[in-house]
Each structure stands twice: as C-alpha cells, then as structure tokens.
Amino acid sequence: MRKWLFLSLAIVGAMTLNGCDQLDDKKVPSAPVLQAEIPQTPGDKKVAHSEILDKTGESDVREINWDTLIPDDWRPETLMEQYNANELSDDDPRAQQLLEKLKALWSQAPIVPALEGERVKLPGFVVPLEMDTKKMAQFLLVPYYGACIHVPPPPANQTVHVLTREGTAFNGRLFDTVWVTGTMRVEHLSSELAEAGYRLEDASVTPYNE
C-alpha cells in the first residue's frame, strides 16, 4: 500500500480529532494505535489480471490488493507536502486546516469505475457496522488494524462495504483478518463509522490464514 497513506493517517490520528469518536464509549479490544498493513501477503503484491482459481471454486475471481482501488492519478500526498505535515505541532493552526482538508479529501476520494461488476478477492480487517453483534450479514472491510476505532477511518476508496451471500452471515469479531470474495460494485455508502467507496456483494468470507 502507498506509504503516504499511513503517514497521513498517523498525523490525523495524532491530532486525535473525531474520525470515529462516537464509538469511544464502546468496549473494544485493546490494540496498538497503528500497525502496518497485512505483511507479505498476496493482497500486497501486484497480481496479474489473468484468471485464478479461488478457494470458493470460482475460476473468474481476480485477487487484488488495496492499491487496485486507488486511481493512479490520485495524489493526496501533495497536500501533505504543501503543509509540511512532518513539521506541524498539534497547536499549529495549520494542523487544523490540514485536518479539515484531509477529512474532505478522504470522504470524496475517487474510485476506479473499471472495477464495477468484477468478481474479486481482497484481504483486510473486519469492522462491524453494529458493535454488539458477532453474526454479520454486512460489515466494513479496511486495510489496516484499528481503523474507525483506534485511529480515524481510511479514505472512501480504501473502505469496502461487504454484503455476505444470503444465508452465510460472517460469524466473527472486530478486526478479524479475512479474505472476502464477491462482486465489486462502485457504490458509495455513508455510515457513522466511515465513508465507503465500494461494495462487495454476494460475498463469501474466509479466515486470512486458510
């Protein structure tokens, strides 16, 4: 995943301003504030567009990584460079300006229209849309541990709304690491947790280590 993304999130998280602050009173598992993306996994490698055989038995599934969801010409790092983000302190007025611009940029992050209708397989972390449930017919898939709970949410083009196949709700917990295979829809979802730029429907979910 692009390294500027984690730099941006680290800065925003350090400022400790909203993101997902409405969940601060929820009981969630303790965890480091920020961890790197899933290390050395097929999801972190550039995968050819050729067909692969997925564990679900589907032969037309393309394994993708999170960079696949970002348009090549989207460069939020230029905003960080404009503000010299590495040199900002929490009480610098420019830090608040940068935060507001990043929040707007994150919610309006562009998507990749060509992904519409593709059957894809993507690894990530589970964020339930309802914190008090373990059986999930839908949830958010995010690329790093802690998103929406310990640190602010990713950009909309790095957040996927997952709808599981009928009768196959995912039985799991917050931040479970999974593979999700489903049909990609380029559709926006606005929730209390985050803005999602994509939806994976008719999805099957398997543990990441399988």
Side-chain angles (χ1 to χ4, degrees):
M1 185 178 298
R2 297 179 184 177
K3 299 306 178 184
W4 55 260
L5 180 57
F6 287 100
L7 172 62
S8 303
L9 288 164
I11 291 171
V12 175
M15 293 173 182
T16 62
L17 292 176
N18 59 33
C20 297
D21 58 353
Q22 69 273 18
L23 293 178
D24 287 347
D25 60 343
K26 302 288 186 181
K27 292 183 179 180
V28 297
S30 59
V33 171
L34 186 64
Q35 295 184 355
E37 70 246 64
I38 304 170
Q40 301 300 318
T41 73
D44 291 329
K45 299 176 183 178
K46 296 297 180 183
V47 181
H49 286 237
S50 58
E51 293 183 350
I52 63 171
L53 181 61
D54 182 66
K55 288 185 178 180
T56 61
E58 300 180 54
S59 61
D60 60 345
V61 173
R62 181 161 71 98
E63 191 176 290
I64 63 174
N65 59 39
W66 288 90
D67 277 356
T68 309
L69 307 183
I70 304 175
D72 290 337
D73 59 354
W74 194 55
R75 293 288 181 268
E77 64 268 31
T78 58
L79 180 62
M80 310 298 290
E81 294 167 356
Q82 175 186 342
Y83 279 82
N84 294 320
N86 287 328
E87 301 175 5
L88 295 182
S89 62
D90 291 352
D91 57 357
D92 190 322
R94 294 176 299 164
Q96 180 63 33
Q97 294 176 8
L98 174 59
L99 178 62
E100 293 303 318
K101 289 189 176 182
L102 277 175
K103 286 165 58 181
L105 191 65
W106 260 212
S107 65
Q108 300 166 9
I111 44 71
V112 179
L115 290 172
E116 173 66 30
E118 278 204 51
R119 290 290 292 177
V120 300
K121 180 180 180 181
L122 178 69
F125 295 93
V126 172
V127 176
L129 287 169
E130 297 180 9
M131 291 295 122
D132 58 351
T133 183
K134 290 185 177 180
K135 195 169 186 179
M136 295 168 260
Q138 58 179 317
F139 57 87
L140 298 179
L141 189 72
V142 295
Y144 60 89
Y145 191 103
C148 297
I149 306 298
H150 301 289
V151 296
N157 60 17
Q158 294 288 275
T159 307
V160 178
H161 178 210
V162 176
L163 293 174
T164 61
R165 187 170 295 165
E166 185 175 358
T168 62
F170 173 64
N171 189 14
R173 300 176 300 172
L174 175 69
F175 298 137
D176 276 352
T177 315
V178 298
W179 284 104
V180 178
T181 302
T183 301
M184 182 68 80
R185 299 298 181 192
V186 180
E187 291 190 15
H188 191 271
L189 170 75
S190 182
S191 71
E192 292 183 356
L193 290 173
E195 303 292 319
Y198 298 94
R199 185 175 81 239
L200 270 177
E201 61 183 26
D202 191 30
S204 61
V205 185
T206 57
Y208 176 72
N209 58 2
E210 285 191 359

